[in-house]
């Protein structure tokens, strides 16, 4: 019998398989970039993108967002979303104009510092012209009122990403670019912010976001949930998943507030796995250092069209009851990806390779196969296998970021590192990485440097072979 648990594990890999089916190249939106930036007032105009070649229009230039205050109302029957976003930001340059990322939806009003601002839409850019220019270093508030029927974006690998309607609500995940389908944002992981969410849904439905639940109130057939994510979070990790959920709440021995929301159709399959969450977090905390957030949990939705889970901050969202491997994987992302964030999508192996290696370590330390065995099984694949199709540390385009080389070869890279430097040093490197970059960012170059410092060895050849060449490496 094929269990829901198994399906979920396969689900996480669906995108990987899809990628291999899609061969088209992605046109780089250079024209859109130039168009949105405009030639005339360069220097005081915020760039239309954060400068990431894989997703040139994700994020924006000229400011950082410190805080998002999102007020949403979702009608699960009509699938209409009403939103107000208040962003508290700081200009990093003088700004006569700046962009937010927003795809679809109708914007009805934009204000900057309480004064109505000019705005226009240009593809996924919401171009805002404040009445008065913002000075470099100035803190400012942007208010955007918007509404409409959110639609997910289709990622270069063919997967749906963003606000994905379900039969009883919406599965909301934003990696890599779906945040813009439901709130105006600076949607690149280089920008991390705190969040407040106030989400109103029909009575009987539950709206689950990140962080801690501040309160819920029901009036006139609607329930409003207030959530707060106080630790810095990348926009792609935000969620506001809505469904008919069974809710479970408790506090772990370490004082972490757990909130699980489970679709009844997944409840039986999810229960034994979710029961392991505290012990998985505990085990990972011993390995990687203290759990980085004050809240945790899981959103187990019934969203058969989605095909993947996402490590939404503190509280991953699963498209179906996860198996234990998937729970371990998404939990490991809380350290690797969520707390320590990417500065460029090219470095995605720092997320996926690490989370995959966490699965191998979990198995090894819980009576299952050793990491060496997992490595060997992959290494046995012929040179023609998709595993060796492109370099894990340089997957080449947004189409490849969730492919097998990133996950599997990424994990193999860590295993090679472990063999080269020995367990003591290896585990110290992992822990130091999570600790030193906690609530911040990390690059591959920084990771290599750390590994070299801790081991006292030159590891250029190892990383070059495993991360930056394609083709199957010869036996070391
Ligand atoms: N980071 C997710 C994981 O845990 C995968 C997200 C896939 N997203 C997508 N749009 N295909 O592996
Ligand atoms: Zn992952």
């Amino acid at each position: 019998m094929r269990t829901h648990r198994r399906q979920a594990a396969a689900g996480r890999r669906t995108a990987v398989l899809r990628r291999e089916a899609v061969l088209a190249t992605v046109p780089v939106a250079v024209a859109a970039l130039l168009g949105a930036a405009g030639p005339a007032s360069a220097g005081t105009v915020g760039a239309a993108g954060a400068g990431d070649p894989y997703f040139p229009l994700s994020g924006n230039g000229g400011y950082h967002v410190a805080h998002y205050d999102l007020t949403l109302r979702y009608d699960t029957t009509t699938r209409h979303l009403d939103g107000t976003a208040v962003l508290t930001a700081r200009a990093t340059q003088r700004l006569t104009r700046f962009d937010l990322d927003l795809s679809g939806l109708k914007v009805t009003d934009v204000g900057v510092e309480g004064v109505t601002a000019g705005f226009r839409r240009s593809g996924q850019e919401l171009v805002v012209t404040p009445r008065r220019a913002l000075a470099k270093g100035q803190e400012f508030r942007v208010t955007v009122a918007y509404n409409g029927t959110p639609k997910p974006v289709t990622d270069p690998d063919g997967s749906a990403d963003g606000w994905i309607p379900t039969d009883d609500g919406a599965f909301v995940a934003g990696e890599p670019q779906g945040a813009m389908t439901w709130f105006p944002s600076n949607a690149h992981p280089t920008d991390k912010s705190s969040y407040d969410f106030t989400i109103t849904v029909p009575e009987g439905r539950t709206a689950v976001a990140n962080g801690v639940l501040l309160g819920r109130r029901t009036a006139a057939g609607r329930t409003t949930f207030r959530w707060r994510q106080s630790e810095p979070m990348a926009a792609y990790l935000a969620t506001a998943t809505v469904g008919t959920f069974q809710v479970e709440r408790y506090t772990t021995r370490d004082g972490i507030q757990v909130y699980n929301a489970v679709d009844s159709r997944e409840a039986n399959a999810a229960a034994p796995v979710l029961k392991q969450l505290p012990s998985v977090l505990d085990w990972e905390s011993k390995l990687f250092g203290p759990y980085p957030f004050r809240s945790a949990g899981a959103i187990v939705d019934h969203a058969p069209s989605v095909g993947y889970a996402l490590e939404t901050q503190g509280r991953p969202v699963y498209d179906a009851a996860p198996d234990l491997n998937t729970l371990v994987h998404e939990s490991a992302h809380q350290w690797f990806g969520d707390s320590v964030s990417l500065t460029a999508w090219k470095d995605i192996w720092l997320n996926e390779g690490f989370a995959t290696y966490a699965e191998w370590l979990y198995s090894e330390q819980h009576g299952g196969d050793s990491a060496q065995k997992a490595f060997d099984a992959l290494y046995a694949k012929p040179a023609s296998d998709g595993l060796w199709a492109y370099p894990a540390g340089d997957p080449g385009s947004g189409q490849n970021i969730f492919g097998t080389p990133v996950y599997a070869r990424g994990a193999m890279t860590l295993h090679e590192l472990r063999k080269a430097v020995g367990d003591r040093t290896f585990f110290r490197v992992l822990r130091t990485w999570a600790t030193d970059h906690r609530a911040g960012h990390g690059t591959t170059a920084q990771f290599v440097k750390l590994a070299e410092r801790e081991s006292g060895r030159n590891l250029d050849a190892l990383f070059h072979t495993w991360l930056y060449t394609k083709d199957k490496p010869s036996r070391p």
Side-chain angles (χ1 to χ4, degrees):
M1 195 190 78
R2 217 175 132 78
T3 66
H4 286 278
R5 295 169 44 180
R6 291 225 178 80
Q7 277 170 16
R12 189 157 46 70
R13 283 169 198 121
T14 308
V16 173
L17 300 174
R18 274 203 205 105
R19 184 205 57 80
E20 269 140 19
V22 181
L23 291 167
T25 50
V26 192
V28 177
V30 176
L33 248 172
L34 295 173
S41 40
T44 66
V45 169
D52 194 311
Y54 286 14
F55 297 95
L57 294 175
S58 288
N60 302 284
Y63 65 93
H64 286 297
V65 180
H67 184 74
Y68 291 87
D69 192 346
L70 305 178
T71 305
L72 308 172
R73 173 188 284 248
Y74 190 57
D75 186 323
T76 50
T77 310
T78 63
R79 298 184 166 177
H80 186 87
L81 178 73
D82 261 300
T84 304
V86 181
L87 284 63
T88 307
R90 187 178 292 280
T92 54
Q93 63 176 76
R94 180 176 154 82
L95 284 175
T96 54
R97 203 175 87 194
F98 62 89
D99 284 12
L100 294 167
D101 299 315
L102 187 69
S103 150
L105 304 168
K106 182 176 153 59
V107 174
T108 55
D109 193 46
V110 179
V112 175
E113 289 295 79
V115 181
T116 300
F119 67 90
R120 67 181 165 82
R121 308 294 296 275
S122 168
Q124 68 182 66
E125 302 300 306
L126 169 61
V127 183
V128 179
T129 307
R131 189 76 65 82
R132 292 184 48 175
L134 300 161
K136 180 176 178 175
Q138 184 181 339
E139 185 178 281
F140 62 101
R141 226 166 243 253
V142 191
T143 304
V144 181
Y146 60 101
N147 69 80
T149 310
K151 284 184 192 56
V153 282
T154 303
D155 288 328
D157 66 3
S159 58
D161 171 18
W163 189 282
I164 305 172
T166 58
D167 58 2
D168 62 352
F171 176 100
V172 183
E175 189 184 27
Q177 46 174 357
M180 65 181 175
T181 67
W182 61 283
F183 67 101
S185 61
N186 195 28
H188 191 270
T190 39
D191 205 18
K192 297 175 74 167
S193 325
S194 57
Y195 285 71
D196 275 302
F197 303 86
T198 305
I199 313 166
T200 302
V201 291
E203 187 175 356
R205 305 294 157 99
T206 301
V208 195
N210 315 82
V212 294
L213 182 65
L214 298 182
R216 51 174 288 173
R217 234 179 78 180
T218 300
R222 294 183 178 277
T223 306
T224 299
F225 294 83
R226 288 189 304 122
W227 294 93
R228 173 166 293 164
Q229 172 64 58
S230 38
E231 298 96 349
M233 176 167 80
Y236 81 89
L237 296 170
T239 189
T241 295
V242 179
T244 310
F245 295 135
Q246 299 175 6
V247 169
E248 173 193 25
R249 301 177 71 172
Y250 58 89
T251 302
T252 68
R253 278 188 289 132
D254 291 345
I256 302 161
Q257 293 183 45
V258 176
Y259 184 106
N260 293 331
V262 181
D263 188 300
S264 334
R265 291 164 287 186
E266 303 293 337
N268 282 339
V273 182
L274 291 190
K275 228 170 65 192
Q276 307 262 34
L277 180 63
S279 69
V280 167
L281 293 179
D282 197 50
W283 174 78
E284 290 181 342
S285 303
K286 290 200 172 85
L287 226 49
F288 310 142
Y291 178 73
F293 310 116
R294 73 191 63 180
S295 56
I299 307 168
V300 181
D301 204 349
H302 178 76
S305 74
V306 172
Y308 61 83
L310 178 66
E311 62 270 22
T312 39
Q313 188 155 306
R315 188 169 296 113
V317 59
Y318 302 92
D319 59 329
D323 64 3
L324 188 54
N325 269 332
T326 307
L327 187 89
V328 168
H329 180 105
E330 306 307 337
S331 297
H333 273 309
Q334 302 307 311
W335 284 261
F336 307 114
D338 292 15
S339 172
V340 183
S341 296
L342 302 177
T343 59
W345 287 108
K346 172 185 193 285
D347 283 347
I348 184 73
W349 85 281
L350 291 173
N351 294 7
E352 302 306 346
F354 282 53
T356 302
Y357 200 65
E359 293 179 57
W360 297 7
L361 289 171
Y362 189 88
S363 166
E364 176 173 296
Q365 296 187 17
H366 292 82
D369 286 348
S370 65
Q372 183 64 49
K373 192 160 176 196
F375 179 97
D376 290 342
L378 287 166
Y379 192 79
K381 289 182 183 291
S384 59
D385 193 89
L387 169 61
W388 319 112
Y390 53 85
D394 189 5
S397 81
Q399 187 187 317
N400 289 342
I401 59 175
F402 301 120
T404 307
V406 170
Y407 285 69
R409 189 171 177 151
M412 293 173 90
T413 304
L414 288 176
H415 191 66
E416 283 298 296
L417 172 65
R418 179 180 169 192
K419 281 190 297 186
V421 303
D423 278 15
R424 268 180 74 94
T425 303
F426 176 73
F427 287 110
R428 192 172 67 241
V429 167
L430 285 190
R431 203 188 161 92
T432 307
W433 179 247
T435 308
D436 287 1
H437 297 267
R438 184 178 164 113
H441 296 91
T443 64
T444 300
Q446 288 170 331
F447 182 73
V448 171
K449 209 165 160 189
L450 171 68
E452 292 191 329
R453 191 188 74 200
E454 293 296 325
S455 66
R457 293 189 37 183
N458 183 327
L459 297 165
D460 283 355
L462 186 154
F463 283 109
H464 177 76
T465 301
W466 282 92
L467 284 185
Y468 295 116
T469 59
K470 63 187 195 83
D471 302 332
K472 181 173 175 173
S474 51
R475 264 283 175 221

